[in-house]
Amino acid sequence: MEINNKKFIFLDRDGVINEDLFDYVKSPLEFKFIKGSLEAIIKLSKSGFQIIVVTNQACIGTGIATTQDVENVHKFMEDAIIKRGGMINRFMVCPHDKNEGCKCRKPEIGLLVEAEKQIGENLRGSFFIGDKESDVIAALDFECIPLLVETGYGSKTLDSKKLPKNINVFKNLSDAVDFVLSL
């Protein structure tokens, strides 16, 4: 797979950028950056990458949280990044419960297709950093280059029989970003 040299990158949120509560992050008070992830995002941003966060948030569809709750979390996260000179270019959220059969919940590629439409650029060949099998499958189905981190669900994901044998695995987002920036 050829690398897209236009500097777009997809990042999953929970378990990659912030601590995954294995429940839901419903408010800024529950949001905590994984060690090194804030700095990694700033490095990406300062290196000219446009960062697209793609996240399944079934908490909206199940009524555990509202769209506004999730937007408040993103605003909190974004403010911390901007304060340190970085930027998130776009948040793409699937609000649906996993049983709704939508086309945007990863491993479906609807969020990636929509991001490509909104940006007006070919995003295939971009890196996609995630911690779940669904992230890897979405990345591969959209012709992105998947990078798996061991944080969040990442360690469990390594046991998946569906993972490609040659997938790049990193301790955390910081290590994955260092790899991307070294190319």
Side-chain angles (χ1 to χ4, degrees):
M1 193 174 308
E2 192 173 317
I3 296 174
N4 180 338
N5 55 11
K6 292 205 178 177
K7 291 199 166 189
F8 292 96
I9 191 163
F10 292 103
L11 302 180
D12 178 47
R13 193 188 85 180
D14 300 326
V16 175
I17 296 172
N18 59 283
E19 298 288 342
D20 194 328
L21 301 180
F22 305 104
D23 179 350
Y24 293 102
V25 176
K26 302 174 290 299
S27 79
L29 296 173
E30 298 172 335
F31 184 92
K32 181 180 177 198
F33 282 100
I34 292 172
K35 185 177 182 192
S37 67
L38 175 61
E39 295 80 8
I41 290 169
I42 292 162
K43 269 200 245 181
L44 275 175
S45 190
K46 287 185 174 181
S47 295
F49 275 86
Q50 289 193 39
I51 301 166
I52 306 160
V53 174
V54 288
T55 180
N56 291 343
Q57 293 297 317
C59 57
I60 297 170
T62 57
I64 295 170
T66 65
T67 300
Q68 188 60 56
D69 292 334
V70 172
E71 287 173 2
N72 290 344
V73 170
H74 289 162
K75 176 90 170 92
F76 175 82
M77 181 176 111
E78 191 173 36
D79 286 349
I81 293 166
I82 289 170
K83 184 177 177 182
R84 290 166 182 82
M87 161 176 221
I88 298 288
N89 298 85
R90 194 166 307 271
F91 288 93
M92 305 300 296
V93 178
C94 170
H96 304 107
D97 182 21
K98 57 185 136 197
N99 300 319
E100 288 186 53
C102 69
K103 295 295 182 198
C104 58
R105 184 175 175 77
K106 297 175 291 178
E108 298 293 331
I109 62 170
L111 291 179
L112 307 176
V113 170
E114 184 58 30
E116 189 174 66
K117 281 182 193 171
Q118 288 180 15
I119 292 169
E121 294 270 357
N122 178 1
L123 300 180
R124 292 161 203 266
S126 298
F127 288 99
F128 186 132
I129 303 174
D131 67 322
K132 295 179 190 76
E133 183 181 285
S134 59
D135 297 320
V136 173
I137 293 168
L140 291 171
D141 287 350
F142 192 68
E143 300 174 24
C144 285
I145 301 164
L147 304 178
L148 183 69
V149 293
E150 294 178 347
T151 51
Y153 283 94
S155 295
K156 292 178 187 174
T157 302
L158 287 172
D159 296 331
S160 169
K161 305 287 187 241
K162 295 180 183 177
L163 280 185
K165 298 287 183 232
N166 59 347
I167 190 166
N168 289 302
V169 179
F170 301 91
K171 180 179 174 188
N172 54 33
L173 180 60
S174 183
D175 287 354
V177 165
D178 286 345
F179 170 76
V180 168
L181 296 178
S182 75
L183 299 175

